[in-house]
Amino acid sequence: MSLDYWVFDPSTCQFTKPRVSILPSVFDYSALPHGSRALSDIGLRHFSRGRYALGEAYRLAGLDKQSALLAPAYHCVTMLDPALALGAQVQLYSLKPNLMPDSDSLEQMYSQSSLPVKALLATHFFGFVQDFSWLKQWCDERGIALIEDCSHVLFFEQYQARGAGLYGKFIASSPYKFFPCTDGGLLYAPDAHCLDGVQTESAGFLAELRGIKSAIEKSRLPKISTNGIDLIDQQLESITTAVPVPGSDQRMGRSAQSTQYLLASAKVASLRSSRWVTSHSSVKNNVTRRQENYRRWVQALSHIPNCRALYPEIPPDVIPYMFPLYLDIPMPHFYWLKQMGVPVWRWDEMAVSNCPVAADYRLHLLHLPCHQSLSNEEMEWMLAAVRKTLAIPTPGVQ
Ligand SMILES: Cc1ncc(COP(=O)(O)O)c(C=O)c1O
């Protein structure tokens, strides 16, 4: 099927390379294996990325050219890619401002679908685990497979007990977002028999070596210097006095998966080194550092104009993946943050839907790192850079 996408192309903007790693980079050894093992390989399969685990879940749910997937309107393209690769139709359901599925929209998408709906993708955005028990019931009543997207969730047995991965027939996750490993995607099914027959092939010896090399290089990247904060004002002055070169934002049709989904990688297992890192990393440290860093973001920006935290409260059992920050005026504030080298992600390539929240968040919602490898200097620098950038007034811009 064909979908229309909004695609933001920043190539003319000459953004600065991020000065801080957006994903964890430093291995934090713990002799106590935490639990991708504890989930046990019986109900688990390893892929190189969450998108390929999702692809397998979609296939097992029966998605094909004659059926449809219900997926969240606010998304990363890699959540839709595997369904498009199967030739399936994708229907985008609306989300509420807190990113919970809108039940009226689900009902409408389901009843209007010209093809039978075989699967529903439900995402726990940014690690804020939602109660999807009602979705399970909704899916069961209609014979739809619920696929829980735990890509933003630190997924292991103890955490599953807190609510993530409790209701899906299939659960996909992305360990490389939580641990300093080169790759990693998990597919889990509470009923292990659902994964019978799922085969992957090993990545090969050379890929293993390259993976180890890249993990070591990442851990050795230079950290921001202690005088970085003193330079912020000067950098901001030169950035904000120059005329910003906007990127292009275009609507275009696409009939297949994006280039971020490689059919050749769909059945390749994650690297052994990545699995080793994941199962020998300290989870305790991971959890506490992420929560601390998240709270630092909330506190540092609480009185700063032109922005608001999407989730200003972090319940004690949430292990955040990123800090989602809503910007009132993305141009020029997003532009300036990128010029400063602040590590920022944004889903500015997104399929077009009727959801006003997705349309709004596409350019306004930033994803900022709060991971466990961030040093105190890096956090201080990012907090100061974001605070100072957003405090700059933008006369005449609404
Ligand atoms: C919510 C969500 N689900 C799924 C994916 C796909 O995960 P991966 O990058 O591991 O393929 C992403 C990618 O960023 C994501 O953000």
Side-chain angles (χ1 to χ4, degrees), residues 24-37 154 156 158 175-183 215 273-287 290 372-373:
S25 54
V26 182
F27 178 47
D28 187 7
Y29 179 75
S30 164
L32 299 171
H34 71 76
S36 58
R37 283 188 200 159
L154 176 58
F156 61 105
Q158 295 89 321
Y176 78 96
K177 293 188 170 121
F178 284 85
F179 299 100
C181 43
T182 312
D183 69 354
S273 57
S274 295
R275 279 182 252 165
W276 191 88
V277 167
T278 304
S279 56
H280 289 83
S281 293
S282 162
V283 162
K284 190 163 175 279
N285 208 18
N286 199 327
V287 174
R290 280 174 186 272
Q372 72 278 17
S373 309

Side-chain angles (χ1 to χ4, degrees), residues 215-288:
I216 294 172
E217 281 169 358
K218 223 169 19 171
S219 72
R220 290 191 174 161
L221 285 175
K223 296 270 181 191
I224 209 141
S225 63
T226 38
N227 70 344
I229 292 187
D230 304 335
L231 302 174
I232 290 176
D233 288 330
Q234 203 185 324
Q235 283 166 338
L236 268 179
E237 188 163 343
S238 88
I239 287 167
T240 54
T241 45
V243 180
V245 183
S248 82
D249 199 25
Q250 285 185 1
R251 184 170 170 153
M252 50 182 76
R254 190 187 288 151
S255 59
Q257 68 275 17
S258 77
T259 52
Q260 296 177 59
Y261 189 86
L262 306 175
L263 290 175
S265 303
K267 296 279 182 185
V268 178
S270 56
L271 299 170
R272 283 169 201 279
S273 57
S274 295
R275 279 182 252 165
W276 191 88
V277 167
T278 304
S279 56
H280 289 83
S281 293
S282 162
V283 162
K284 190 163 175 279
N285 208 18
N286 199 327
V287 174
T288 47

Side-chain angles (χ1 to χ4, degrees), residues 48-54 74-79 121 123-126 149-152 172-177 184-185 260 321 345 347 367:
S48 63
R49 284 276 187 275
R51 66 201 73 172
Y52 303 116
L54 277 180
Y74 181 69
H75 54 262
C76 160
V77 289
T78 55
M79 294 152 69
L121 181 68
T123 301
H124 300 283
F125 291 98
F126 304 110
D149 180 357
C150 290
S151 183
H152 291 183
S173 183
S174 309
Y176 78 96
K177 293 188 170 121
Q260 296 177 59
Y321 159 55
W345 270 350
W347 288 343
H367 314 180

